Amino acid sequence: MSTSDARYHHGDLRRALLDAADELLEESGSAALSLREVARRAGVSHNAPYHHFPDRIAVMKGLAARHMRKLLGAQRAAAEQAGDPFCRLRAVGRAYAGYALENPAGFGIVFDPEICVPGAPSDEMAPLIGENEDLIADLVARCLTDDADPATRAAAAAGVWSLVHGLAQLITSGHLPRSAADHALDGLGALLATPAPGA
């Protein structure tokens, strides 16, 4: 171990490498992420990353999990500060879109299908995805009537997530202004309270 590598021991090396990778991701996008460049940015030998990451994809998966945790944290913090269920749902939606706008590269890597493979996420990512789905499902369920059946609850949760995620991507890519999220999310309450045709 080199002198520079010795600064990062007892688990610190992994964090330092992810910090460096996160900086590169924000500055230049995922294309700039190579193990050699991450090591250079972290100030360690070019072999040091292999102690924790076998390849570039593993680094990107680590970053995806890091940003998923931050996205979850932003949503939970927003929910705790809001009042009734509809207010909490709107607040969480705004936090979701806000995180995407403020961390576009990090948000993008979370949902990159080559990094977080649909149906086969990494062991680190899988529980985080489950927590995100549970958070949204619980908030939506609290906005529905007590007699809503499980299928209706599941469909409503999927619809809300799709709406919020779509807004986040459209705002991040510049196709919609940030204010569009507020207008769309303000309509969530009415949408959830409207019975489906034939119901």
Side-chain angles (χ1 to χ4, degrees):
M1 181 181 290
S2 70
T3 302
S4 58
D5 292 351
R7 289 180 296 159
Y8 306 112
H9 58 283
H10 301 305
D12 288 345
L13 176 59
R14 187 178 193 276
R15 176 190 55 76
L17 292 169
L18 285 176
D19 286 347
D22 220 352
E23 291 175 4
L24 288 167
L25 180 69
E26 183 178 352
E27 291 171 9
S28 307
S30 58
L33 289 179
S34 67
L35 289 179
R36 183 175 289 274
E37 185 58 23
V38 168
R40 187 197 66 76
R41 177 64 65 95
V44 298
S45 71
H46 68 272
N47 287 322
Y50 293 99
H51 293 297
H52 294 281
F53 303 104
D55 53 34
R56 173 179 175 275
I57 294 296
V59 174
M60 295 175 75
K61 286 182 176 180
L63 283 179
R66 168 182 278 202
H67 280 280
M68 188 74 231
R69 288 191 187 91
K70 290 182 177 180
L71 176 59
L72 270 167
Q75 292 175 90
R76 286 174 175 149
E80 290 172 0
Q81 295 173 14
D84 64 68
F86 290 107
C87 288
R88 286 197 293 273
L89 188 60
R90 287 195 296 271
V92 165
R94 290 189 181 100
Y96 192 103
Y99 190 86
L101 187 62
E102 292 160 14
N103 305 273
F107 182 82
I109 205 170
V110 167
F111 297 100
D112 185 330
E114 294 184 2
I115 305 305
C116 184
V117 180
S122 67
D123 291 342
E124 187 178 14
M125 189 65 134
L128 299 173
I129 293 172
E131 288 177 37
N132 190 74
E133 292 175 351
D134 290 346
L135 172 65
I136 294 172
D138 180 66
L139 288 169
V140 170
R142 293 174 186 273
C143 293
L144 297 174
T145 59
D146 292 338
D147 59 352
D149 59 70
T152 298
R153 292 173 187 269
V160 167
W161 188 17
S162 298
L163 170 65
V164 172
H165 188 78
L167 281 170
Q169 290 198 313
L170 288 168
I171 292 167
T172 300
S173 61
H175 291 294
L176 286 176
R178 186 167 186 168
S179 60
D182 289 336
H183 295 313
L185 293 168
D186 284 342
L188 272 180
L191 187 65
L192 291 171
T194 303

